[in-house]
């Protein structure tokens, strides 16, 4: 069974930074994608970023420049450094791994429960 431990969420003021971490258990994702998606309150899930096995990164345009995704294959982990946070970044941020796309909940991926990020104005 694949499980994720997602940490780093919390409350921050606008303009602040947070770093999310996700460690996967139950499968080695070194040869696959790892990434982050988010679900704002009352809205649908949306793609944030993923990093491929060779280190290639993919972002939704709005996040590139403010968010940086990275991974550590030795730890089976993926990270999301978020800066210049805005109130509309408030969401549950979910880790994913497997074959990922720019949409949520692909059946070729595995999904975490998420960590809450709240950005106050």
């Amino acid at each position: 069974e694949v499980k994720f431990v997602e940490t780093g969420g919390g409350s921050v003021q606008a303009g602040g930074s947070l770093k999310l971490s996700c460690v996967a258990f139950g499968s080695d994702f070194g040869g696959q994608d790892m990434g982050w998606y988010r679900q704002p309150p009352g809205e649908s899930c949306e793609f944030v970023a993923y990093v491929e096995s060779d280190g290639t990164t993919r972002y939704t345009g709005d996040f590139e420049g403010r968010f940086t995704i990275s991974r550590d294959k030795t730890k089976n982990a993926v990270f999301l450094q978020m800066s210049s946070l805005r109130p509309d970044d408030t969401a549950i941020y979910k880790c994913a791994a497997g074959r990922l796309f720019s949409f949520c909940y692909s059946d070729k991926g595995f999904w975490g429960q998420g960590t809450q990020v709240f950005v106050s104005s």
Side-chain angles (χ1 to χ4, degrees):
E1 181 184 5
V2 174
K3 293 184 178 180
F4 298 95
V5 176
E6 298 149 300
T7 58
S11 296
V12 64
Q13 289 190 325
S17 299
L18 283 174
K19 184 175 182 178
L20 306 182
S21 300
C22 170
V23 180
F25 298 91
S27 184
D28 182 354
F29 290 105
Q32 296 183 282
D33 309 328
M34 296 190 79
W36 292 93
Y37 297 74
R38 72 181 192 180
Q39 186 157 12
E43 298 183 28
S44 301
C45 177
E46 57 189 26
F47 167 61
V48 176
Y50 67 79
V51 52
E52 299 178 3
S53 177
D54 66 358
T56 300
T57 55
R58 309 284 185 187
Y59 294 88
T60 292
D62 185 46
F63 302 122
E64 193 165 15
R66 295 193 302 125
F67 294 2
T68 302
I69 191 169
S70 60
R71 68 188 296 171
D72 184 338
K73 290 186 176 182
T74 67
K75 298 179 180 178
N76 212 21
V78 64
F79 309 96
L80 187 68
Q81 177 67 52
M82 306 185 292
S83 60
S84 301
L85 284 162
R86 309 184 304 225
D88 63 359
D89 291 319
T90 294
I92 297 173
Y93 285 73
K94 300 185 177 186
C95 176
R99 179 65 180 98
L100 301 179
F101 302 90
S102 60
F103 55 87
C104 298
Y105 305 127
S106 161
D107 61 3
K108 299 184 184 299
F110 297 87
W111 300 83
Q113 294 297 308
T115 183
Q116 177 72 55
V117 171
F118 180 78
V119 184
S120 59
S121 56

